[in-house]
Amino acid sequence: MPAADSAFDASALVQIEGVLERITYANEDTGYTVARVATERSGPDLLTVIGPLLGAQVGESLRLKGWWGSHPKYGKQFRVHSYTTVLPATIQGIRRYLGSGLIKGIGPMMAHRMVEHFGVDILEVIATDPKRLIEVHGLGPKRTKLIADAWEEQKAIKEVMVFLQSVGVSTSLAVRIYKTYGDTAIDTVRREPYQLTDVWGIGFKTADTIAQAVGIPHDSPERIKAGLQYTLSQAADNGHCYLPEPNLITEATKILEVDRVLIGPCLQQLVADEGVIHEQVPANTGGGTVPAVYLVPFHRAERSLAGTLLGLLHTQIDRLDAFAQVDWDRAFEWLRSRTGQDLAEEQAEAVKLALTRKVAVLTGGPGCGKSFTVRSVVELARAKNARVVLAAPTGRAAKRLAELTGHDASTVHRLLELQPGGDPRYDRDNPFDADLVVIDEASMLDLILANKLIKAVPPGAHLLLVGDVDQLPSVGAGEVLRDVLAADTIPRVRLTKIFRQAQQSGIVVNAHRVNTGIAPQFEGFRDIYWFTCEPPEDSDLNPGEETAKLVVDIVARRIPAKFRLNPRRDVQVLAPMHRGPAGAGNLNTMLQEALTPHRDDLAERRYGGRVFRVGDKVTQLRNNYDKGAAGVFNGTLGVVTAISATDQTLTVRTDEDEEIDYDFAELDELGHAYAVTIHRSQGSEYPAVVLPLTMSSWMMLQRNLLYTGITRAKTLLILVGSRKALAAAVRTPGAGRRHTALTHRLQSR
């Protein structure tokens, strides 16, 4: 384990042993932990230990090396320098160890029975003769095998950890590495350390630290090529499909800390080996071209998406050819009899476009009638017995689309029926059975997902992409909706008229004001409020901390009292950033304490620096194609409904009403969602939104971010914080264009 303090006297280290009883604080980033340990000498009192204990689990027996110290407030403490886990030797220790949930299939009651039957020999029985476990009442062959397999896995993981910890790998990452590579984990680390970036949660910097620990030279071509690919991967995480070659070399030089002249030859070798793609594309600004360097999947997806869209647009087949000769006056009269509403001129144009052109885009802000236009398109298509497929990137958006149209809608991922590994069931060779495909919230579509989706649209079917192009672009690489709208080859309609009813909404009116760079107006509306939180300049109070306290009070007390809304189900806090005193991370800690505090009768499980409790609001942090009926995806929201120490599982009911089980070792895939960043809220709509704005998040205070946050609120929006921060967000245009070439590819064929 890494040292708790780089300056220590090795001769002063002492060793103690004890059972980890409780973790009171853990920082996931640094590993620093405050815990309570029971030792033979501590008796009924627990000893406080501090230091790098991340990865140790409650119930484990630990051998701790460190030194004694004293805190002026908390008293005697043991400062940990390093630790190892050991098997307990006493009846009480063994019972506590087995009943802690560390071994799958054993809970507290079963642990008691096993120790009662075998005494101190129980651990030896599990390790060498597990078939004898059936002697214990309640243990049959199936459960006995489960326990034996879990024990062997724990043993194998511990062996791998001994090696990995010697090269600076934390316990949690060691488990992931073992799960990925199994018995070849140690060999992979020694021979191909940069391959570890395939493991979720391990980036180049971690792999680089391991590589240097196993002897890879700082200036080796292997390291430089891995660093170049990492730089492109980081750019993709920031939304770019490629980097101009000069930008790539500059960024890689900073990351690798090597001489710039070493990078060019390694880049050439990567291009020759087809590890990256090099191509001239038009510059975003100023005309001319730039030498673009792509990771292979993004280059393939961009070319494929452009070709597929143009192929759909120009095919001679037309599955909705009945609309080529339709009497539109009669069609719209029939539609009015169905809906009780007339279409505005812009809406009518959009309906005609969607039903007569095989690819079309519909965009516009809130209150401009996108939803009614989509409903009209679907009504007319179904009147001609067309097979209609509706989808949206998130579960909430898909539910809203289904309610709007009265027609089934699904998430894009479920529509594609992505298989384990991420390959879709539906593709160019096996397209959807559809005449009309409508994709709502298309601003959320990143390049990779959009390519998979569009390839599954059959030739002759009509594709309608619907979204608000002024919102934040997708979390993933690309800005597909913006790029498609920028291509003159693709038919489009932009709705601009705000309807009279929408003009009564402070949420709608102020969304449009912010989008045009005008400060919000809070007077005269019942659905939008502003709470100023600005301590005096001579105050010792931190503005971010005070804003966070006010947000918690508004969510937990004021909104439920005034509006009768459920603070967990109906209220969503949206923060510009994850970090900071008023960021989503800290707000989640505070909101969890206010809404789902620790109770002795409430099951909970700690993972790293987080503790999960039954009732917690959570979100999925990465795509996992192996879970659920058709995978579970980044941004999916849910509620923790059960935690089983015996089965080592935590169960989440998602907002798509699916029960998903997570092994305790998989809890790094989940984060709390009482507060989420505005980026993660895309495609979702909430009854009430609380939006903190402080200068501590000044880097993210941009117009399209604020606009996106405002438009997530359905009936109530509360902004809290600094007027200076609000003004900064309104006047600051969004970040510059991403590096993409989709528009160019759509116009050059």
Side-chain angles (χ1 to χ4, degrees):
M1 298 297 293
D5 191 329
S6 57
F8 73 96
D9 181 2
S11 64
L13 289 180
V14 296
Q15 180 174 293
I16 64 171
E17 291 190 10
V19 176
L20 183 59
E21 294 287 343
R22 186 165 71 248
I23 295 175
T24 56
Y25 172 80
N27 185 306
E28 285 183 276
D29 296 326
T30 65
Y32 178 80
T33 304
V34 178
R36 303 279 279 166
V37 171
T39 68
E40 287 187 9
R41 293 185 178 181
S42 65
D45 298 322
L46 298 179
L47 170 67
T48 298
V49 299
I50 60 172
L53 283 170
L54 202 61
Q57 300 291 338
V58 171
E60 284 189 307
S61 292
L62 306 178
R63 182 173 293 131
L64 305 164
K65 288 186 178 180
W67 56 97
W68 294 101
S70 181
H71 189 279
K73 181 177 179 180
Y74 301 109
K76 188 177 181 181
Q77 296 178 335
F78 188 80
R79 298 183 65 195
V80 178
H81 170 257
S82 62
Y83 81 91
T84 56
T85 57
V86 294
L87 293 177
T90 67
I91 288 287
Q92 182 180 359
I94 292 171
R95 184 184 295 115
R96 179 82 169 86
Y97 175 75
L98 289 177
S100 66
L102 283 168
I103 306 300
K104 198 168 189 175
I106 305 176
M109 290 296 295
M110 185 53 67
H112 178 77
R113 289 185 203 164
M114 294 167 74
V115 173
E116 283 288 302
H117 186 81
F118 290 108
V120 292
D121 295 331
I122 179 59
L123 298 181
E124 181 69 18
V125 170
I126 297 174
T128 61
D129 195 9
K131 291 181 180 179
R132 286 192 61 198
L133 293 177
I134 60 171
E135 297 173 20
V136 179
H137 176 68
L139 284 183
K142 184 176 180 180
R143 199 166 172 192
T144 295
K145 185 178 186 306
L146 176 69
I147 293 170
D149 290 345
W151 180 269
E152 285 301 311
E153 182 178 79
Q154 284 289 327
K155 180 182 175 184
I157 290 173
K158 296 290 185 189
E159 290 173 358
V160 171
M161 282 181 182
V162 170
F163 170 73
L164 292 176
Q165 288 172 2
S166 72
V167 294
V169 180
S170 70
T171 305
S172 57
L173 289 185
V175 171
R176 284 187 224 160
I177 292 170
Y178 177 79
K179 294 281 188 182
T180 303
Y181 299 109
D183 294 337
T184 66
I186 294 175
D187 191 57
T188 299
V189 171
R190 283 187 173 134
R191 297 176 182 274
E192 300 179 273
Y194 292 105
Q195 187 179 326
L196 296 176
T197 55
D198 293 341
V199 179
W200 186 73
I202 297 182
F204 173 79
K205 292 180 181 179
T206 300
D208 196 36
T209 301
I210 296 169
Q212 292 184 53
V214 298
I216 303 294
H218 186 74
D219 60 353
S220 73
E222 178 188 359
R223 178 175 183 268
I224 293 172
K225 286 189 285 186
L228 283 164
Q229 290 180 310
Y230 168 73
T231 304
L232 288 171
S233 176
Q234 286 291 98
D237 288 344
N238 291 323
H240 301 294
C241 297
Y242 70 85
L243 278 182
E245 183 179 332
N247 301 40
L248 171 61
I249 292 175
T250 298
E251 290 301 314
T253 301
K254 293 177 186 175
I255 291 169
L256 291 164
E257 297 179 334
V258 298
D259 195 311
R260 189 182 182 96
V261 299
L262 296 174
I263 292 182
C266 291
L267 177 57
Q268 292 175 8
Q269 187 62 52
L270 266 179
V271 173
D273 294 341
E274 298 185 347
V276 297
I277 304 295
H278 191 283
E279 181 184 356
Q280 292 290 135
V281 302
N284 279 345
T285 58
T289 62
V290 296
V293 185
Y294 286 82
L295 289 173
V296 174
F298 297 104
H299 185 263
R300 288 177 178 168
E302 198 171 76
R303 286 175 55 88
S304 171
L305 178 57
T308 304
L309 280 170
L310 293 175
L312 290 171
L313 182 63
H314 297 305
T315 181
Q316 297 301 306
I317 309 167
D318 192 345
R319 290 173 174 248
L320 293 179
D321 57 1
F323 287 99
Q325 305 298 326
V326 77
D327 182 335
W328 287 105
D329 289 337
R330 288 185 60 189
F332 290 147
E333 181 63 29
W334 175 86
L335 188 63
R336 188 175 67 81
S337 71
R338 294 273 297 179
T339 64
Q341 291 180 246
D342 285 315
L343 288 165
E345 185 177 342
E346 291 176 333
Q347 292 175 308
E349 180 188 353
V351 170
K352 291 179 185 178
L353 201 69
L355 295 172
T356 59
R357 301 299 299 271
K358 296 182 208 61
V359 178
V361 182
L362 172 63
T363 190
C368 291
K370 289 196 307 295
S371 296
F372 183 62
T373 304
V374 170
R375 178 185 171 189
S376 300
V377 170
V378 173
E379 288 277 4
L380 288 170
R382 293 175 69 184
K384 296 292 186 181
N385 296 316
R387 286 161 293 191
V388 177
V389 168
L390 306 177
T394 67
R396 284 174 177 253
K399 282 183 179 180
R400 191 170 67 244
L401 185 59
E403 292 167 0
L404 165 73
T405 60
H407 189 282
D408 288 342
S410 70
T411 63
V412 172
H413 296 96
R414 289 189 181 278
L415 176 63
L416 288 167
E417 294 188 23
L418 297 176
Q419 309 298 301
D423 292 328
R425 176 184 172 191
Y426 293 100
D427 55 20
R428 187 172 282 114
D429 297 325
N430 182 35
F432 306 132
D433 182 16
D435 303 315
L436 171 67
V437 178
V438 179
I439 307 299
D440 198 9
E441 296 286 356
S443 63
M444 289 187 66
L445 290 177
D446 62 60
L447 176 66
I448 300 297
L449 183 59
N451 181 48
K452 290 178 180 180
L453 172 64
I454 306 307
K455 282 198 293 189
V457 177
H462 287 222
L463 171 68
L464 177 62
L465 298 174
V466 184
D468 185 347
V469 74
D470 294 320
Q471 289 184 21
L472 290 167
S474 57
V475 174
E479 42 188 350
V480 172
L481 183 63
R482 186 180 298 277
D483 285 348
V484 171
L485 278 166
D488 295 337
T489 49
I490 306 297
R492 85 295 302 275
V493 169
R494 181 162 190 152
L495 304 179
T496 58
K497 178 186 175 183
I498 305 177
F499 287 90
R500 183 176 301 172
Q501 183 178 357
Q503 292 175 4
Q504 310 305 310
S505 166
I507 295 170
V508 171
V509 169
N510 282 296
H512 285 276
R513 288 176 67 94
V514 167
N515 198 35
T516 54
I518 303 172
Q521 171 63 49
F522 299 101
E523 300 295 329
F525 299 109
R526 296 184 176 182
D527 59 350
I528 185 168
Y529 296 85
W530 169 259
F531 284 80
T532 299
C533 187
E534 294 181 291
E537 290 187 10
D538 59 350
S539 169
D540 293 332
L541 298 174
N542 181 299
E545 292 175 358
E546 291 303 302
T547 298
K549 290 178 184 176
L550 181 53
V551 166
V552 172
D553 186 50
I554 288 169
V555 172
R557 187 178 65 84
R558 300 193 195 189
I559 290 179
K562 182 175 177 62
F563 298 100
R564 299 292 188 266
L565 294 174
N566 183 299
R568 279 187 289 191
R569 184 187 64 237
D570 301 326
V571 183
Q572 183 62 57
V573 177
L574 303 181
M577 294 177 63
H578 182 78
R579 296 181 183 273
N586 187 52
L587 282 168
N588 268 317
T589 301
M590 296 173 68
L591 286 163
Q592 183 193 38
E593 190 58 33
L595 300 174
T596 318
H598 169 79
R599 297 201 324 251
D600 290 339
D601 62 337
L602 192 69
E604 61 180 49
R605 174 70 181 184
R606 180 173 289 277
Y607 187 94
R610 299 191 293 272
V611 58
F612 294 97
R613 297 176 182 134
V614 170
D616 268 341
K617 189 176 182 178
V618 293
T619 184
Q620 177 77 12
L621 299 178
R622 73 175 182 105
N623 291 344
N624 187 328
Y625 303 102
D626 301 323
K627 284 200 169 296
V632 58
F633 303 97
N634 187 2
T636 298
L637 291 174
V639 175
V640 177
T641 57
I643 297 175
S644 171
T646 301
D647 297 328
Q648 289 194 343
T649 58
L650 177 149
T651 304
V652 173
R653 175 169 286 279
T654 72
D655 56 6
E656 296 178 61
D657 295 325
E658 183 178 15
E659 295 276 354
I660 304 289
D661 287 334
Y662 293 81
D663 287 341
F664 285 165
E666 299 174 316
L667 294 184
D668 55 349
E669 295 187 20
L670 288 177
H672 292 97
Y674 299 98
V676 299
T677 62
I678 295 173
H679 275 91
R680 294 190 69 83
S681 74
Q682 289 171 261
S684 295
E685 188 178 65
Y686 314 96
V689 164
V690 179
L691 211 164
L693 295 169
T694 68
M695 290 307 295
S696 61
S697 56
W698 64 269
M699 290 181 61
M700 298 300 294
L701 293 177
Q702 297 168 357
R703 192 178 301 157
N704 61 348
L705 186 99
L706 178 58
Y707 173 77
T708 301
I710 291 172
T711 56
R712 300 306 88 204
K714 186 176 181 181
T715 60
L716 177 65
L717 173 67
I718 299 176
L719 294 96
V720 186
S722 158
R723 289 194 178 276
K724 184 179 178 181
L726 175 61
V730 172
R731 70 170 177 264
T732 306
R737 291 293 305 273
R738 295 177 170 187
H739 293 299
T740 72
L742 180 59
T743 300
H744 158 68
R745 299 185 196 281
L746 286 168
Q747 295 187 143
S748 62
R749 299 192 180 202

